[in-house]
Amino acid sequence: LPLFERLERRIVDGERVGLEADLDSALDQRPALQIINDTLLSGMKTVGELFGSGQMQLPFVLQSAEVMKTAVAHLEPHMERADDGGKGRIVLATVKGDVHDIGKNLVDIILTNNGYEVVNLGIKQPITTILDAAAEHRADAIGMSGLLVKSTVVMKENLAEMNSRGVAARWPVLLGGAALTRAYVENDLTDVYLGEVRYARDAFEGLRLMDAIMA
Ligand code: B1M
């Protein structure tokens, strides 16, 4: 297979032998971010489709996810860094009950490389932990990621909890993840939350929204 098709195939097949060498060759031809966006994410999309239609079992999805993470970690040092972390600070987490973190970590990379300081709390984070971290780090915003349908409900509960703690005015909230839709966030959740809540379709929209929040 040609290089970029082979790389995409590696994600789908969870094949990591020779991965770094292929990534290095790819870096000779394209910027790191383009490799992630056009090639690696396309592989993850296929994984999602195969899993969703029952053609791929969970352990193989996990292998694909591991190869994806290894690939992103290998590419990250090759990404351009625009700024130095002075644009603002965001606490980022995958919500309670949800282990998916590839998208959240991409958001971290994109924001970090574009001048934000990111406090990445990891996966399965209850709202209490998120709010404690936001207070401790004096965050300018809170970002929550979730890929499961039930995570969209958790997000709604989290926003209600923030209202009842009286912290909605303090933290704008950025939400993202495959199970969310713009309509759900903009119609249902903006009604729930007393502060500002925004939907980001991908990491770049997350960056644009952070820029708008900090403007
Ligand atoms: Co899971 N999984 N998974 N999974 N998994 C999905 C989400 C699913 C849609 C697959 C499917 O059925 N087609 C499905 C959810 C169905 C539903 O809820 N209705 C599903 C399921 C069912 C499950 C389990 C329940 C399976 C099981 O155990 N029976 C289980 C859940 C466990 C749990 O969370 N409690 C599970 C487990 C796993 C693995 C561990 C094997 C693995 C995750 C590994 C990891 O993340 N470390 C995994 C994977 C890899 C997937 C799919 C195939 C791919 C997800 C991914 O990484 N995509 C996924 C299929 C899919 O999403 N269609 C699936 C690439 C990533 C870059 O995209 O995270 O969407 P994404 O991020 C995007 C945007 O959404 C956005 O930016 C990114 C791009 O720039 N974004 C943000 C994300 N967060 C953001 C936050 C922001 C802004 C933008 O601001 C804060």
PDB file of all heavy atoms in Angstrom, residues 41 44 48 51-52 58 61 65 69 92 97-103 106-107 143-145 147-149 174 176-178 200-203, ligand 1:
ATOM      1  N   LEU A  41      -7.296  10.163  11.740  1.00  0.00           N
ATOM      2  CA  LEU A  41      -8.702  10.273  12.154  1.00  0.00           C
ATOM      3  C   LEU A  41      -9.627   9.529  11.198  1.00  0.00           C
ATOM      4  O   LEU A  41     -10.661   9.008  11.605  1.00  0.00           O
ATOM      5  CB  LEU A  41      -9.117  11.741  12.278  1.00  0.00           C
ATOM      6  CG  LEU A  41      -8.616  12.453  13.534  1.00  0.00           C
ATOM      7  CD1 LEU A  41      -9.137  13.885  13.592  1.00  0.00           C
ATOM      8  CD2 LEU A  41      -9.004  11.703  14.792  1.00  0.00           C
ATOM      9  N   MET A  44      -9.636   6.083  12.450  1.00  0.00           N
ATOM     10  CA  MET A  44     -10.482   5.920  13.643  1.00  0.00           C
ATOM     11  C   MET A  44     -11.962   5.929  13.270  1.00  0.00           C
ATOM     12  O   MET A  44     -12.769   5.262  13.903  1.00  0.00           O
ATOM     13  CB  MET A  44     -10.213   7.044  14.655  1.00  0.00           C
ATOM     14  CG  MET A  44      -8.966   6.906  15.492  1.00  0.00           C
ATOM     15  SD  MET A  44      -8.744   5.318  16.304  1.00  0.00           S
ATOM     16  CE  MET A  44     -10.065   5.311  17.494  1.00  0.00           C
ATOM     17  N   GLY A  48     -14.735   3.084  14.182  1.00  0.00           N
ATOM     18  CA  GLY A  48     -16.044   3.337  14.775  1.00  0.00           C
ATOM     19  C   GLY A  48     -17.164   2.694  13.969  1.00  0.00           C
ATOM     20  O   GLY A  48     -18.092   2.106  14.528  1.00  0.00           O
ATOM     21  N   PHE A  51     -16.964  -1.163  14.366  1.00  0.00           N
ATOM     22  CA  PHE A  51     -17.425  -1.546  15.706  1.00  0.00           C
ATOM     23  C   PHE A  51     -18.943  -1.385  15.793  1.00  0.00           C
ATOM     24  O   PHE A  51     -19.660  -2.281  16.257  1.00  0.00           O
ATOM     25  CB  PHE A  51     -16.720  -0.691  16.754  1.00  0.00           C
ATOM     26  CG  PHE A  51     -17.087  -1.011  18.173  1.00  0.00           C
ATOM     27  CD1 PHE A  51     -17.031  -2.322  18.659  1.00  0.00           C
ATOM     28  CD2 PHE A  51     -17.474  -0.010  19.052  1.00  0.00           C
ATOM     29  CE1 PHE A  51     -17.360  -2.618  19.974  1.00  0.00           C
ATOM     30  CE2 PHE A  51     -17.807  -0.298  20.380  1.00  0.00           C
ATOM     31  CZ  PHE A  51     -17.754  -1.606  20.832  1.00  0.00           C
ATOM     32  N   GLY A  52     -19.431  -0.257  15.294  1.00  0.00           N
ATOM     33  CA  GLY A  52     -20.858   0.037  15.360  1.00  0.00           C
ATOM     34  C   GLY A  52     -21.709  -0.969  14.604  1.00  0.00           C
ATOM     35  O   GLY A  52     -22.837  -1.261  14.989  1.00  0.00           O
ATOM     36  N   LEU A  58     -14.461  -5.417  20.543  1.00  0.00           N
ATOM     37  CA  LEU A  58     -13.890  -4.405  21.420  1.00  0.00           C
ATOM     38  C   LEU A  58     -12.364  -4.480  21.622  1.00  0.00           C
ATOM     39  O   LEU A  58     -11.690  -3.442  21.575  1.00  0.00           O
ATOM     40  CB  LEU A  58     -14.604  -4.444  22.775  1.00  0.00           C
ATOM     41  CG  LEU A  58     -14.481  -3.184  23.602  1.00  0.00           C
ATOM     42  CD1 LEU A  58     -15.101  -1.985  22.901  1.00  0.00           C
ATOM     43  CD2 LEU A  58     -15.132  -3.374  24.969  1.00  0.00           C
ATOM     44  N   VAL A  61     -10.759  -2.756  18.891  1.00  0.00           N
ATOM     45  CA  VAL A  61     -10.967  -1.300  18.949  1.00  0.00           C
ATOM     46  C   VAL A  61      -9.914  -0.698  19.885  1.00  0.00           C
ATOM     47  O   VAL A  61      -9.310   0.333  19.597  1.00  0.00           O
ATOM     48  CB  VAL A  61     -12.389  -0.962  19.456  1.00  0.00           C
ATOM     49  CG1 VAL A  61     -12.572   0.555  19.551  1.00  0.00           C
ATOM     50  CG2 VAL A  61     -13.443  -1.567  18.549  1.00  0.00           C
ATOM     51  N   ALA A  65      -7.082   2.046  19.175  1.00  0.00           N
ATOM     52  CA  ALA A  65      -6.968   3.268  19.982  1.00  0.00           C
ATOM     53  C   ALA A  65      -5.532   3.437  20.491  1.00  0.00           C
ATOM     54  O   ALA A  65      -5.000   4.546  20.518  1.00  0.00           O
ATOM     55  CB  ALA A  65      -7.957   3.216  21.142  1.00  0.00           C
ATOM     56  N   LYS A  69      -3.027   6.498  19.715  1.00  0.00           N
ATOM     57  CA  LYS A  69      -2.382   7.311  20.760  1.00  0.00           C
ATOM     58  C   LYS A  69      -0.871   7.355  20.563  1.00  0.00           C
ATOM     59  O   LYS A  69      -0.244   8.406  20.719  1.00  0.00           O
ATOM     60  CB  LYS A  69      -2.694   6.731  22.142  1.00  0.00           C
ATOM     61  CG  LYS A  69      -4.104   6.986  22.597  1.00  0.00           C
ATOM     62  CD  LYS A  69      -4.324   6.391  23.973  1.00  0.00           C
ATOM     63  CE  LYS A  69      -5.258   7.233  24.784  1.00  0.00           C
ATOM     64  NZ  LYS A  69      -5.317   6.869  26.192  1.00  0.00           N
ATOM     65  N   LEU A  92      -9.689  20.516  31.560  1.00  0.00           N
ATOM     66  CA  LEU A  92     -10.277  19.631  30.554  1.00  0.00           C
ATOM     67  C   LEU A  92     -10.448  18.230  31.155  1.00  0.00           C
ATOM     68  O   LEU A  92      -9.538  17.733  31.824  1.00  0.00           O
ATOM     69  CB  LEU A  92      -9.296  19.580  29.384  1.00  0.00           C
ATOM     70  CG  LEU A  92      -9.737  19.076  28.024  1.00  0.00           C
ATOM     71  CD1 LEU A  92     -10.868  19.928  27.485  1.00  0.00           C
ATOM     72  CD2 LEU A  92      -8.537  19.113  27.067  1.00  0.00           C
ATOM     73  N   GLY A  97     -17.861   8.237  34.143  1.00  0.00           N
ATOM     74  CA  GLY A  97     -18.415   7.056  33.490  1.00  0.00           C
ATOM     75  C   GLY A  97     -17.949   6.834  32.062  1.00  0.00           C
ATOM     76  O   GLY A  97     -18.319   5.849  31.433  1.00  0.00           O
ATOM     77  N   ASP A  98     -17.096   7.712  31.580  1.00  0.00           N
ATOM     78  CA  ASP A  98     -16.678   7.635  30.170  1.00  0.00           C
ATOM     79  C   ASP A  98     -15.151   7.535  30.086  1.00  0.00           C
ATOM     80  O   ASP A  98     -14.444   8.335  30.688  1.00  0.00           O
ATOM     81  CB  ASP A  98     -17.178   8.899  29.447  1.00  0.00           C
ATOM     82  CG  ASP A  98     -17.150   8.770  27.930  1.00  0.00           C
ATOM     83  OD1 ASP A  98     -16.205   8.136  27.407  1.00  0.00           O
ATOM     84  OD2 ASP A  98     -18.054   9.301  27.266  1.00  0.00           O
ATOM     85  N   VAL A  99     -14.680   6.519  29.327  1.00  0.00           N
ATOM     86  CA  VAL A  99     -13.223   6.301  29.264  1.00  0.00           C
ATOM     87  C   VAL A  99     -12.585   6.868  27.994  1.00  0.00           C
ATOM     88  O   VAL A  99     -11.367   6.786  27.814  1.00  0.00           O
ATOM     89  CB  VAL A  99     -12.857   4.797  29.347  1.00  0.00           C
ATOM     90  CG1 VAL A  99     -13.410   4.161  30.607  1.00  0.00           C
ATOM     91  CG2 VAL A  99     -13.301   4.038  28.100  1.00  0.00           C
ATOM     92  N   HIS A 100     -13.391   7.375  27.068  1.00  0.00           N
ATOM     93  CA  HIS A 100     -12.837   7.797  25.780  1.00  0.00           C
ATOM     94  C   HIS A 100     -12.008   9.071  25.944  1.00  0.00           C
ATOM     95  O   HIS A 100     -12.509  10.084  26.435  1.00  0.00           O
ATOM     96  CB  HIS A 100     -13.978   8.049  24.788  1.00  0.00           C
ATOM     97  CG  HIS A 100     -14.771   6.810  24.503  1.00  0.00           C
ATOM     98  ND1 HIS A 100     -15.846   6.437  25.274  1.00  0.00           N
ATOM     99  CD2 HIS A 100     -14.632   5.864  23.549  1.00  0.00           C
ATOM    100  CE1 HIS A 100     -16.348   5.298  24.798  1.00  0.00           C
ATOM    101  NE2 HIS A 100     -15.627   4.924  23.742  1.00  0.00           N
ATOM    102  N   ASP A 101     -10.759   9.028  25.486  1.00  0.00           N
ATOM    103  CA  ASP A 101      -9.920  10.218  25.714  1.00  0.00           C
ATOM    104  C   ASP A 101      -9.103  10.678  24.514  1.00  0.00           C
ATOM    105  O   ASP A 101      -8.343  11.632  24.610  1.00  0.00           O
ATOM    106  CB  ASP A 101      -9.008  10.015  26.933  1.00  0.00           C
ATOM    107  CG  ASP A 101      -7.950   8.939  26.722  1.00  0.00           C
ATOM    108  OD1 ASP A 101      -7.984   8.256  25.671  1.00  0.00           O
ATOM    109  OD2 ASP A 101      -7.099   8.788  27.606  1.00  0.00           O
ATOM    110  N   ILE A 102      -9.243  10.013  23.386  1.00  0.00           N
ATOM    111  CA  ILE A 102      -8.420  10.403  22.230  1.00  0.00           C
ATOM    112  C   ILE A 102      -8.797  11.808  21.756  1.00  0.00           C
ATOM    113  O   ILE A 102      -7.929  12.658  21.524  1.00  0.00           O
ATOM    114  CB  ILE A 102      -8.556   9.366  21.095  1.00  0.00           C
ATOM    115  CG1 ILE A 102      -7.954   8.038  21.564  1.00  0.00           C
ATOM    116  CG2 ILE A 102      -7.866   9.844  19.825  1.00  0.00           C
ATOM    117  CD1 ILE A 102      -8.155   6.887  20.613  1.00  0.00           C
ATOM    118  N   GLY A 103     -10.088  12.060  21.650  1.00  0.00           N
ATOM    119  CA  GLY A 103     -10.544  13.384  21.217  1.00  0.00           C
ATOM    120  C   GLY A 103     -10.170  14.463  22.214  1.00  0.00           C
ATOM    121  O   GLY A 103      -9.672  15.530  21.838  1.00  0.00           O
ATOM    122  N   LEU A 106      -6.623  15.324  21.903  1.00  0.00           N
ATOM    123  CA  LEU A 106      -6.354  16.157  20.719  1.00  0.00           C
ATOM    124  C   LEU A 106      -6.693  17.614  21.012  1.00  0.00           C
ATOM    125  O   LEU A 106      -5.963  18.529  20.614  1.00  0.00           O
ATOM    126  CB  LEU A 106      -7.175  15.679  19.524  1.00  0.00           C
ATOM    127  CG  LEU A 106      -6.631  14.493  18.753  1.00  0.00           C
ATOM    128  CD1 LEU A 106      -7.590  14.127  17.625  1.00  0.00           C
ATOM    129  CD2 LEU A 106      -5.254  14.802  18.183  1.00  0.00           C
ATOM    130  N   VAL A 107      -7.798  17.821  21.711  1.00  0.00           N
ATOM    131  CA  VAL A 107      -8.166  19.178  22.101  1.00  0.00           C
ATOM    132  C   VAL A 107      -7.044  19.781  22.950  1.00  0.00           C
ATOM    133  O   VAL A 107      -6.636  20.930  22.744  1.00  0.00           O
ATOM    134  CB  VAL A 107      -9.511  19.178  22.882  1.00  0.00           C
ATOM    135  CG1 VAL A 107      -9.829  20.563  23.425  1.00  0.00           C
ATOM    136  CG2 VAL A 107     -10.642  18.700  21.984  1.00  0.00           C
ATOM    137  N   GLY A 143     -13.655  22.512  30.121  1.00  0.00           N
ATOM    138  CA  GLY A 143     -13.985  21.737  28.934  1.00  0.00           C
ATOM    139  C   GLY A 143     -14.338  20.317  29.311  1.00  0.00           C
ATOM    140  O   GLY A 143     -13.603  19.664  30.049  1.00  0.00           O
ATOM    141  N   MET A 144     -15.476  19.845  28.844  1.00  0.00           N
ATOM    142  CA  MET A 144     -15.873  18.463  29.121  1.00  0.00           C
ATOM    143  C   MET A 144     -16.056  17.709  27.811  1.00  0.00           C
ATOM    144  O   MET A 144     -16.674  18.205  26.876  1.00  0.00           O
ATOM    145  CB  MET A 144     -17.186  18.434  29.894  1.00  0.00           C
ATOM    146  CG  MET A 144     -17.142  19.110  31.241  1.00  0.00           C
ATOM    147  SD  MET A 144     -18.722  18.848  32.071  1.00  0.00           S
ATOM    148  CE  MET A 144     -18.921  20.428  32.895  1.00  0.00           C
ATOM    149  N   SER A 145     -15.493  16.490  27.823  1.00  0.00           N
ATOM    150  CA  SER A 145     -15.608  15.631  26.658  1.00  0.00           C
ATOM    151  C   SER A 145     -16.372  14.376  27.053  1.00  0.00           C
ATOM    152  O   SER A 145     -16.279  13.919  28.201  1.00  0.00           O
ATOM    153  CB  SER A 145     -14.198  15.277  26.161  1.00  0.00           C
ATOM    154  OG  SER A 145     -14.259  14.415  25.057  1.00  0.00           O
ATOM    155  N   LEU A 147     -18.122  10.659  24.927  1.00  0.00           N
ATOM    156  CA  LEU A 147     -18.508  10.034  23.657  1.00  0.00           C
ATOM    157  C   LEU A 147     -19.732   9.147  23.756  1.00  0.00           C
ATOM    158  O   LEU A 147     -20.298   8.741  22.756  1.00  0.00           O
ATOM    159  CB  LEU A 147     -17.328   9.225  23.082  1.00  0.00           C
ATOM    160  CG  LEU A 147     -16.460  10.034  22.111  1.00  0.00           C
ATOM    161  CD1 LEU A 147     -15.675  11.096  22.842  1.00  0.00           C
ATOM    162  CD2 LEU A 147     -15.567   9.147  21.291  1.00  0.00           C
ATOM    163  N   LEU A 148     -20.121   8.817  24.963  1.00  0.00           N
ATOM    164  CA  LEU A 148     -21.272   7.935  25.133  1.00  0.00           C
ATOM    165  C   LEU A 148     -22.552   8.770  25.192  1.00  0.00           C
ATOM    166  O   LEU A 148     -22.521   9.909  25.673  1.00  0.00           O
ATOM    167  CB  LEU A 148     -21.132   7.138  26.432  1.00  0.00           C
ATOM    168  CG  LEU A 148     -19.882   6.270  26.533  1.00  0.00           C
ATOM    169  CD1 LEU A 148     -19.753   5.694  27.935  1.00  0.00           C
ATOM    170  CD2 LEU A 148     -19.919   5.145  25.491  1.00  0.00           C
ATOM    171  N   VAL A 149     -23.636   8.186  24.735  1.00  0.00           N
ATOM    172  CA  VAL A 149     -24.904   8.903  24.813  1.00  0.00           C
ATOM    173  C   VAL A 149     -25.192   9.275  26.262  1.00  0.00           C
ATOM    174  O   VAL A 149     -25.642  10.379  26.566  1.00  0.00           O
ATOM    175  CB  VAL A 149     -26.047   8.060  24.196  1.00  0.00           C
ATOM    176  CG1 VAL A 149     -27.402   8.664  24.524  1.00  0.00           C
ATOM    177  CG2 VAL A 149     -25.866   7.966  22.687  1.00  0.00           C
ATOM    178  N   LEU A 174     -17.118  24.487  27.681  1.00  0.00           N
ATOM    179  CA  LEU A 174     -16.950  24.009  26.316  1.00  0.00           C
ATOM    180  C   LEU A 174     -17.263  22.519  26.309  1.00  0.00           C
ATOM    181  O   LEU A 174     -16.709  21.781  27.129  1.00  0.00           O
ATOM    182  CB  LEU A 174     -15.471  24.201  25.966  1.00  0.00           C
ATOM    183  CG  LEU A 174     -15.067  24.603  24.584  1.00  0.00           C
ATOM    184  CD1 LEU A 174     -15.663  25.952  24.261  1.00  0.00           C
ATOM    185  CD2 LEU A 174     -13.535  24.667  24.533  1.00  0.00           C
ATOM    186  N   GLY A 176     -17.707  18.821  24.035  1.00  0.00           N
ATOM    187  CA  GLY A 176     -17.451  18.144  22.775  1.00  0.00           C
ATOM    188  C   GLY A 176     -17.468  16.637  22.942  1.00  0.00           C
ATOM    189  O   GLY A 176     -17.472  16.122  24.059  1.00  0.00           O
ATOM    190  N   GLY A 177     -17.485  15.935  21.814  1.00  0.00           N
ATOM    191  CA  GLY A 177     -17.511  14.472  21.833  1.00  0.00           C
ATOM    192  C   GLY A 177     -18.573  13.951  20.895  1.00  0.00           C
ATOM    193  O   GLY A 177     -19.572  14.626  20.637  1.00  0.00           O
ATOM    194  N   ALA A 178     -18.337  12.739  20.405  1.00  0.00           N
ATOM    195  CA  ALA A 178     -19.135  12.219  19.296  1.00  0.00           C
ATOM    196  C   ALA A 178     -20.633  12.114  19.569  1.00  0.00           C
ATOM    197  O   ALA A 178     -21.436  12.241  18.646  1.00  0.00           O
ATOM    198  CB  ALA A 178     -18.582  10.856  18.872  1.00  0.00           C
ATOM    199  N   ALA A 200     -18.364  22.380  20.634  1.00  0.00           N
ATOM    200  CA  ALA A 200     -17.261  22.330  19.673  1.00  0.00           C
ATOM    201  C   ALA A 200     -17.307  21.014  18.903  1.00  0.00           C
ATOM    202  O   ALA A 200     -17.220  19.938  19.496  1.00  0.00           O
ATOM    203  CB  ALA A 200     -15.923  22.473  20.399  1.00  0.00           C
ATOM    204  N   ARG A 201     -17.446  21.109  17.621  1.00  0.00           N
ATOM    205  CA  ARG A 201     -17.508  19.902  16.780  1.00  0.00           C
ATOM    206  C   ARG A 201     -16.171  19.183  16.738  1.00  0.00           C
ATOM    207  O   ARG A 201     -16.083  17.961  16.688  1.00  0.00           O
ATOM    208  CB  ARG A 201     -17.931  20.300  15.358  1.00  0.00           C
ATOM    209  CG  ARG A 201     -18.311  19.137  14.458  1.00  0.00           C
ATOM    210  CD  ARG A 201     -18.737  19.673  13.092  1.00  0.00           C
ATOM    211  NE  ARG A 201     -17.640  20.387  12.441  1.00  0.00           N
ATOM    212  CZ  ARG A 201     -16.723  19.811  11.681  1.00  0.00           C
ATOM    213  NH1 ARG A 201     -16.766  18.506  11.465  1.00  0.00           N
ATOM    214  NH2 ARG A 201     -15.763  20.522  11.118  1.00  0.00           N
ATOM    215  N   ASP A 202     -15.100  19.958  16.735  1.00  0.00           N
ATOM    216  CA  ASP A 202     -13.771  19.342  16.741  1.00  0.00           C
ATOM    217  C   ASP A 202     -12.802  20.237  17.521  1.00  0.00           C
ATOM    218  O   ASP A 202     -13.188  21.291  18.034  1.00  0.00           O
ATOM    219  CB  ASP A 202     -13.260  19.094  15.312  1.00  0.00           C
ATOM    220  CG  ASP A 202     -13.231  20.370  14.475  1.00  0.00           C
ATOM    221  OD1 ASP A 202     -13.070  21.459  15.050  1.00  0.00           O
ATOM    222  OD2 ASP A 202     -13.367  20.269  13.237  1.00  0.00           O
ATOM    223  N   ALA A 203     -11.550  19.798  17.570  1.00  0.00           N
ATOM    224  CA  ALA A 203     -10.564  20.505  18.392  1.00  0.00           C
ATOM    225  C   ALA A 203     -10.354  21.942  17.901  1.00  0.00           C
ATOM    226  O   ALA A 203     -10.103  22.844  18.700  1.00  0.00           O
ATOM    227  CB  ALA A 203      -9.252  19.730  18.383  1.00  0.00           C
TER     228      ALA A 203
HETATM  229 CO1  B1M B   1     -16.071   3.190  22.483  1.00  0.00          CO
HETATM  230  N1  B1M B   1     -17.819   3.703  21.874  1.00  0.00           N
HETATM  231  N2  B1M B   1     -16.827   2.165  23.912  1.00  0.00           N
HETATM  232  N3  B1M B   1     -14.251   2.675  22.898  1.00  0.00           N
HETATM  233  N4  B1M B   1     -15.557   3.985  20.872  1.00  0.00           N
HETATM  234  C1  B1M B   1     -17.892   4.684  20.799  1.00  0.00           C
HETATM  235  C2  B1M B   1     -17.981   6.094  21.363  1.00  0.00           C
HETATM  236  C3  B1M B   1     -19.213   4.247  20.042  1.00  0.00           C
HETATM  237  C4  B1M B   1     -19.920   5.371  19.302  1.00  0.00           C
HETATM  238  C5  B1M B   1     -18.863   3.082  19.112  1.00  0.00           C
HETATM  239  C6  B1M B   1     -20.040   2.566  18.304  1.00  0.00           C
HETATM  240  O1  B1M B   1     -20.903   1.914  18.838  1.00  0.00           O
HETATM  241  N5  B1M B   1     -20.059   2.834  17.029  1.00  0.00           N
HETATM  242  C7  B1M B   1     -20.068   3.654  21.238  1.00  0.00           C
HETATM  243  C8  B1M B   1     -20.983   4.639  21.966  1.00  0.00           C
HETATM  244  C9  B1M B   1     -22.429   4.341  21.714  1.00  0.00           C
HETATM  245  C10 B1M B   1     -23.363   5.127  22.567  1.00  0.00           C
HETATM  246  O2  B1M B   1     -23.097   5.661  23.601  1.00  0.00           O
HETATM  247  N6  B1M B   1     -24.551   5.182  22.042  1.00  0.00           N
HETATM  248  C11 B1M B   1     -18.984   3.113  22.138  1.00  0.00           C
HETATM  249  C12 B1M B   1     -19.186   2.137  23.145  1.00  0.00           C
HETATM  250  C13 B1M B   1     -20.558   1.517  23.208  1.00  0.00           C
HETATM  251  C14 B1M B   1     -18.157   1.759  24.036  1.00  0.00           C
HETATM  252  C15 B1M B   1     -18.292   0.807  25.242  1.00  0.00           C
HETATM  253  C16 B1M B   1     -19.558   0.945  26.086  1.00  0.00           C
HETATM  254  C17 B1M B   1     -18.145  -0.621  24.675  1.00  0.00           C
HETATM  255  C18 B1M B   1     -18.316  -1.720  25.688  1.00  0.00           C
HETATM  256  O3  B1M B   1     -17.653  -1.772  26.697  1.00  0.00           O
HETATM  257  N7  B1M B   1     -19.228  -2.595  25.368  1.00  0.00           N
HETATM  258  C19 B1M B   1     -17.020   1.164  26.048  1.00  0.00           C
HETATM  259  C20 B1M B   1     -17.301   2.353  26.959  1.00  0.00           C
HETATM  260  C21 B1M B   1     -16.597   2.287  28.245  1.00  0.00           C
HETATM  261  C22 B1M B   1     -16.865   3.573  29.035  1.00  0.00           C
HETATM  262  O4  B1M B   1     -16.581   4.674  28.557  1.00  0.00           O
HETATM  263  N8  B1M B   1     -17.400   3.425  30.206  1.00  0.00           N
HETATM  264  C23 B1M B   1     -16.103   1.637  24.966  1.00  0.00           C
HETATM  265  C24 B1M B   1     -14.725   1.537  25.025  1.00  0.00           C
HETATM  266  C25 B1M B   1     -13.867   1.957  24.016  1.00  0.00           C
HETATM  267  C26 B1M B   1     -12.355   1.686  23.999  1.00  0.00           C
HETATM  268  C27 B1M B   1     -11.734   1.699  25.377  1.00  0.00           C
HETATM  269  C28 B1M B   1     -12.130   0.326  23.357  1.00  0.00           C
HETATM  270  C29 B1M B   1     -11.864   2.794  23.006  1.00  0.00           C
HETATM  271  C30 B1M B   1     -11.449   4.107  23.689  1.00  0.00           C
HETATM  272  C31 B1M B   1      -9.986   4.231  23.929  1.00  0.00           C
HETATM  273  C32 B1M B   1      -9.608   5.607  24.373  1.00  0.00           C
HETATM  274  O5  B1M B   1     -10.243   6.617  24.101  1.00  0.00           O
HETATM  275  N9  B1M B   1      -8.524   5.632  25.099  1.00  0.00           N
HETATM  276  C33 B1M B   1     -13.140   3.084  22.213  1.00  0.00           C
HETATM  277  C34 B1M B   1     -13.138   3.745  20.952  1.00  0.00           C
HETATM  278  C35 B1M B   1     -11.801   4.007  20.340  1.00  0.00           C
HETATM  279  C36 B1M B   1     -14.348   4.149  20.322  1.00  0.00           C
HETATM  280  C37 B1M B   1     -14.537   4.756  18.909  1.00  0.00           C
HETATM  281  C38 B1M B   1     -14.425   3.598  17.926  1.00  0.00           C
HETATM  282  C39 B1M B   1     -13.603   5.871  18.483  1.00  0.00           C
HETATM  283  C40 B1M B   1     -13.516   7.048  19.427  1.00  0.00           C
HETATM  284  C41 B1M B   1     -12.380   7.953  19.054  1.00  0.00           C
HETATM  285  O6  B1M B   1     -11.337   7.948  19.685  1.00  0.00           O
HETATM  286  N10 B1M B   1     -12.546   8.728  17.957  1.00  0.00           N
HETATM  287  C42 B1M B   1     -16.010   5.337  19.032  1.00  0.00           C
HETATM  288  C43 B1M B   1     -16.730   5.458  17.723  1.00  0.00           C
HETATM  289  C44 B1M B   1     -17.142   6.884  17.395  1.00  0.00           C
HETATM  290  O7  B1M B   1     -16.782   7.826  18.036  1.00  0.00           O
HETATM  291  N11 B1M B   1     -17.971   6.992  16.403  1.00  0.00           N
HETATM  292  C45 B1M B   1     -16.560   4.560  20.181  1.00  0.00           C
HETATM  293  C46 B1M B   1     -11.534   9.643  17.484  1.00  0.00           C
HETATM  294  C47 B1M B   1     -11.604  10.952  18.286  1.00  0.00           C
HETATM  295  C48 B1M B   1     -10.558  11.931  17.790  1.00  0.00           C
HETATM  296  O8  B1M B   1     -12.881  11.514  18.088  1.00  0.00           O
HETATM  297  O9  B1M B   1     -13.383  11.632  20.572  1.00  0.00           O
HETATM  298  O10 B1M B   1     -15.158  12.211  18.853  1.00  0.00           O
HETATM  299  P1  B1M B   1     -13.728  12.189  19.243  1.00  0.00           P
HETATM  300  O11 B1M B   1     -13.189  13.689  19.297  1.00  0.00           O
HETATM  301  C49 B1M B   1     -13.403  14.614  18.261  1.00  0.00           C
HETATM  302  C50 B1M B   1     -14.633  15.483  18.464  1.00  0.00           C
HETATM  303  O12 B1M B   1     -15.719  14.806  19.051  1.00  0.00           O
HETATM  304  C51 B1M B   1     -14.118  16.639  19.266  1.00  0.00           C
HETATM  305  O13 B1M B   1     -12.772  16.796  18.839  1.00  0.00           O
HETATM  306  C52 B1M B   1     -12.262  15.573  18.303  1.00  0.00           C
HETATM  307  C53 B1M B   1     -11.734  15.809  16.890  1.00  0.00           C
HETATM  308  O14 B1M B   1     -11.024  16.970  16.734  1.00  0.00           O
HETATM  309  N12 B1M B   1     -14.101  16.596  20.726  1.00  0.00           N
HETATM  310  C54 B1M B   1     -14.085  17.751  21.442  1.00  0.00           C
HETATM  311  C55 B1M B   1     -14.066  15.578  21.584  1.00  0.00           C
HETATM  312  N13 B1M B   1     -14.046  16.019  22.835  1.00  0.00           N
HETATM  313  C56 B1M B   1     -14.051  17.351  22.790  1.00  0.00           C
HETATM  314  C57 B1M B   1     -14.047  18.304  23.803  1.00  0.00           C
HETATM  315  C58 B1M B   1     -14.073  19.658  23.439  1.00  0.00           C
HETATM  316  C59 B1M B   1     -14.093  20.026  22.098  1.00  0.00           C
HETATM  317  C60 B1M B   1     -14.097  19.096  21.092  1.00  0.00           C
HETATM  318  O15 B1M B   1     -14.078  20.652  24.325  1.00  0.00           O
HETATM  319  C61 B1M B   1     -14.047  20.358  25.699  1.00  0.00           C
END
